[in-house]
Amino acid sequence: MKKYDVVTAFDFCVDFLMDLGTTEPEFGQKEKLVNNYGLEMGGSACIFACQCAKLGLSVTGTGVAGTDSFGAFMFDCLTRGGVDTAHIRTETDKTALTLCLNKTGGDRGMLTYMGAMDTIQAAWLEELLPQTRHLHICSYYILKNLQAGYPAILQKAKSLGTTVSLDTNWDPEEKWDGGIRDILQYVDVFLPNENELMSITGKDNVQDALRYAGGFVPVIAVKCGAKGAYAYCQGTIYKCAAMEIEVADTVGAGDSFNGGFIYGYLNGYSVEECLKFGTTCGSLNAAKHGGTAGQPRLEELGIKIRSSE
């Protein structure tokens, strides 16, 4: 029996959320008013981990926080979310921070200060592999310090029977490489959004991109925002509509989707069921402000629990 269901590399980051409404930022020292603001736990892996924990999975990870008040805030958020923080390091650099500019309609822009985030070491993650059933990788293009180590990490994961999921998130340089094609062969579940999937595969529509990526990865689930999500497995494309909700913001919706999908995957549900779980988690997340406030617990998903869970 493994100690953890899921291990991840934490992209330790605080989100400073600003609700712009219809206001457009403008330079030239022009001051404009916005609707609201908030300080929330950020980081794709951190939000994903909290969703997994709320669904009853045992989750931990390694990463680096600063020895500042934002670092303490992140530790507190993860602990309250049910995530094991025993393997997180601290250092004197600042905790990473992302300014999220949210517009009416769900679109957003993001500006990130990296701080201590990308000082995580591949060896720390590799040390945790024997203790887990599943490894989740995200922020691939942000955590560059890990890129060179991933082939060895994933080869070890496969030798241990550990399954692997990947959500690259956006590439700030928009090069869409960084060795990504070298590691897809080790990935069991690929979890991009539609723009990331098309950028990585070089295809101009989701269906063609799914079929192309399906030549490398057994299961693919792609997030399409208000349009819902698609999945692809063994030549079949599945679709699930998003829930009809009033969107508060979309911060963390994709990461919560990932948590719901991986919960289903690790508990032996069908791809179609996993897609529904993921879509429900992502939709409910978007109904509340911040990355974790709207995340559902297991009883809120309407899942008929299997005796083995």
Side-chain angles (χ1 to χ4, degrees):
M1 178 71 70
K2 300 291 181 70
K3 182 176 181 179
Y4 300 109
D5 294 309
V6 181
V7 159
T8 190
F10 287 125
D11 44 354
F12 232 71
C13 184
V14 171
D15 280 346
F16 186 82
L17 310 176
M18 187 165 286
D19 182 3
L20 300 181
T22 58
T23 298
E24 293 284 347
E26 188 175 349
F27 287 95
Q29 302 183 45
K30 296 185 178 181
E31 183 173 1
K32 296 187 176 184
L33 302 182
V34 299
N35 290 349
N36 203 351
Y37 75 90
L39 187 69
E40 301 283 350
M41 184 185 74
S44 292
C46 300
I47 295 170
F48 162 83
C50 284
Q51 180 63 87
C52 287
K54 289 176 181 177
L55 296 177
L57 298 177
S58 174
V59 190
T60 194
T62 186
V64 185
T67 54
D68 50 21
S69 58
F70 283 162
F73 173 78
M74 289 293 294
F75 270 102
D76 181 62
C77 289
L78 286 171
T79 300
R80 286 189 288 108
V83 178
D84 184 334
T85 62
H87 306 285
I88 298 171
R89 273 80 165 176
T90 58
E91 66 172 47
T92 55
D93 199 356
K94 294 179 180 178
T95 301
L97 183 142
T98 293
L99 173 62
C100 301
L101 303 173
N102 298 312
K103 295 179 65 176
T104 297
D107 195 12
R108 70 181 188 269
M110 296 177 286
L111 300 170
T112 296
Y113 170 75
M114 289 294 292
M117 188 196 300
D118 195 28
T119 59
I120 183 172
Q121 302 297 309
W124 304 346
L125 190 58
E126 192 169 346
E127 288 171 1
L128 289 172
L129 290 179
Q131 302 181 59
T132 189
R133 298 168 57 202
H134 185 82
L135 169 65
H136 179 68
I137 300 169
C138 61
S139 293
Y140 182 83
Y141 297 110
I142 294 288
L143 299 178
K144 289 188 174 183
N145 203 41
L146 287 175
Q147 288 179 358
Y150 270 130
I153 289 171
L154 297 185
Q155 287 174 31
K156 181 172 181 178
K158 295 289 100 176
S159 73
L160 294 168
T162 301
T163 53
V164 177
S165 56
L166 168 66
D167 182 355
T168 63
N169 303 106
W170 190 256
D171 179 7
E173 298 178 348
E174 298 190 34
K175 295 180 179 178
W176 302 104
D177 190 7
I180 189 68
R181 291 166 184 82
D182 296 331
I183 69 168
L184 281 176
Q185 61 183 307
Y186 303 111
V187 174
D188 299 286
V189 184
F190 188 27
L191 296 159
N193 68 31
E194 57 184 328
N195 292 323
E196 293 158 357
L197 178 66
M198 290 187 288
S199 295
I200 290 168
T201 61
K203 304 299 181 182
D204 59 7
N205 65 77
V206 171
Q207 287 79 7
D208 286 348
L210 281 169
R211 293 187 180 95
Y212 178 82
F216 304 94
V217 184
V219 178
I220 304 163
V222 57
K223 296 153 284 191
C224 302
K227 295 179 289 184
Y230 291 89
Y232 181 88
C233 181
Q234 297 181 341
T236 301
I237 293 178
Y238 304 90
K239 188 178 188 305
C240 185
M243 296 173 64
E244 293 187 7
I245 58 162
E246 183 175 344
V247 174
D249 66 48
T250 58
V251 175
D255 308 311
S256 297
F257 173 98
N258 295 347
F261 195 98
I262 293 303
Y263 165 82
Y265 180 80
L266 291 179
N267 283 292
Y269 287 92
S270 69
V271 171
E272 191 171 16
E273 289 172 312
C274 292
L275 188 63
K276 181 179 179 181
F277 300 159
T279 302
T280 301
C281 287
S283 296
L284 293 176
N285 175 281
K288 293 187 179 180
H289 289 286
T292 61
Q295 289 180 333
R297 297 191 179 276
L298 196 57
E299 58 271 19
E300 298 174 83
L301 287 187
I303 299 172
K304 184 177 180 181
I305 308 301
R306 295 177 174 177
S307 58
S308 60
E309 292 180 41

